[in-house]
Structures are given as C-alpha cells and as structure tokens.
Amino acid sequence: MSSIEFNFEDIQPFKFHEKLIKNHINDLIKNEQKKRGELTFIFCSDEYLLEMNKQYLDHDYYTDIITFDYVENNIVSGDLFISIDRIKENAQKYNIEFLKELYRVVFHGVLHLVSYNDKTDEEQQIMTEKENHYLSEV
C-alpha cells in the first residue's frame, strides 16, 4: 500500500491545498524515476522539532525539516517533520507567501528521499534548482 498523509502535532491544523500538493509530490517522484511508498508529513512547532532534532540527530538547533528516510528499492517512503514556525519565519524573512514556502520545504524533503543532498555548495545549487522547478509547476 502507498499513501501520502498529512498530520499536525503540537500545532493547530490549518488549510492548504492537500490534493494539489499530493499530485505534485507524485509527479516529482515519478519524474525522478522512483515509485511512491508511504509518506507521512507531520506539521509541528519549533519546540517539537527541536526535541526531535536533539533526540534522533543529536543536533541542538532549530530547523525547518527533518526527514526520516525509509526508501528501499526505488520505493520512496519516509516521515517528514516540518516546523510551521520556521516556515512562517522564513516566508516573512524572504517576503514570500506562507504556502509557497511550505511547498518548497515539502519538495525539499521529498527531493532528499529521491537521493538529492545539500551538504556541498554544488549539491545545494542543484537542490535549489530542483525545488524551484517543482515549485514553478504548482
């Protein structure tokens, strides 16, 4: 069974174009020549994600997303925890719409699951180009 689920943890649920974003996630995975498995997006607070970062990654700092990769045999599966506080702050900082920043981070996480990294400058450039490409289709 394969699915895409969205959950809220430690924050108030909010409206977004769930069906639209699911279609674009499916397109991204298909375009990257992978198959979709189980994807769960958990929207949460900064504090919730900070605790996850400390507990599972031994990092003591805020971040916008943590992706747990369960990919096997080109089947893209994972749990993606996204801080809505970071999304709001970054949207304001970069003067863009909240949903556009949310979708960018969603795509960023899925791009990690389909094997893109962002550790080096070159990898970051490729990741940003991919994010922008998929955002342009929303």
Side-chain angles (χ1 to χ4, degrees):
M1 187 171 143
S2 67
S3 68
I4 299 174
E5 293 184 14
F6 297 98
N7 298 306
F8 297 87
E9 189 68 50
D10 195 38
I11 63 166
Q12 287 294 322
F14 58 87
K15 295 202 181 296
F16 62 101
H17 306 101
E18 188 172 329
K19 188 173 182 179
L20 175 77
I21 200 64
K22 282 182 178 181
N23 288 338
H24 285 286
I25 291 167
N26 285 327
D27 289 345
L28 183 160
I29 292 169
K30 189 176 183 181
N31 288 344
E32 298 296 333
Q33 300 176 353
K34 309 284 184 185
K35 294 179 182 167
R36 191 190 76 224
E38 300 288 324
L39 292 173
T40 304
F41 293 85
I42 301 95
F43 300 131
C44 59
S45 68
D46 261 353
E47 295 308 315
Y48 188 92
L49 198 58
L50 178 61
E51 288 307 311
M52 299 278 302
N53 214 4
K54 288 177 183 177
Q55 183 177 351
Y56 294 102
L57 302 175
D58 204 26
H59 296 159
D60 189 6
Y61 54 81
Y62 293 110
T63 187
D64 53 3
I65 186 170
I66 295 175
T67 303
F68 293 94
D69 183 334
Y70 311 132
V71 175
E72 288 184 24
N73 302 323
N74 281 337
I75 299 173
V76 178
S77 297
D79 292 331
L80 300 95
F81 290 81
I82 297 175
S83 168
I84 297 307
D85 295 325
R86 289 294 98 220
I87 301 302
K88 288 177 183 174
E89 188 173 297
N90 287 339
Q92 192 171 29
K93 180 179 177 180
Y94 298 113
N95 197 30
I96 59 173
E97 294 176 29
F98 167 78
L99 287 180
K100 184 172 183 178
E101 179 63 7
L102 176 66
Y103 298 162
R104 184 191 67 76
V105 173
V106 165
F107 293 149
H108 182 89
V110 176
L111 286 164
H112 274 303
L113 294 176
V114 299
S115 76
Y116 290 95
N117 291 309
D118 57 2
K119 299 284 186 219
T120 68
D121 288 344
E122 184 180 348
E123 289 173 340
Q124 287 175 5
Q125 182 180 345
I126 292 168
M127 179 72 87
T128 299
E129 288 170 4
K130 288 285 186 178
E131 289 169 11
N132 290 339
H133 168 75
Y134 289 111
L135 264 177
S136 73
E137 297 186 352
V138 175

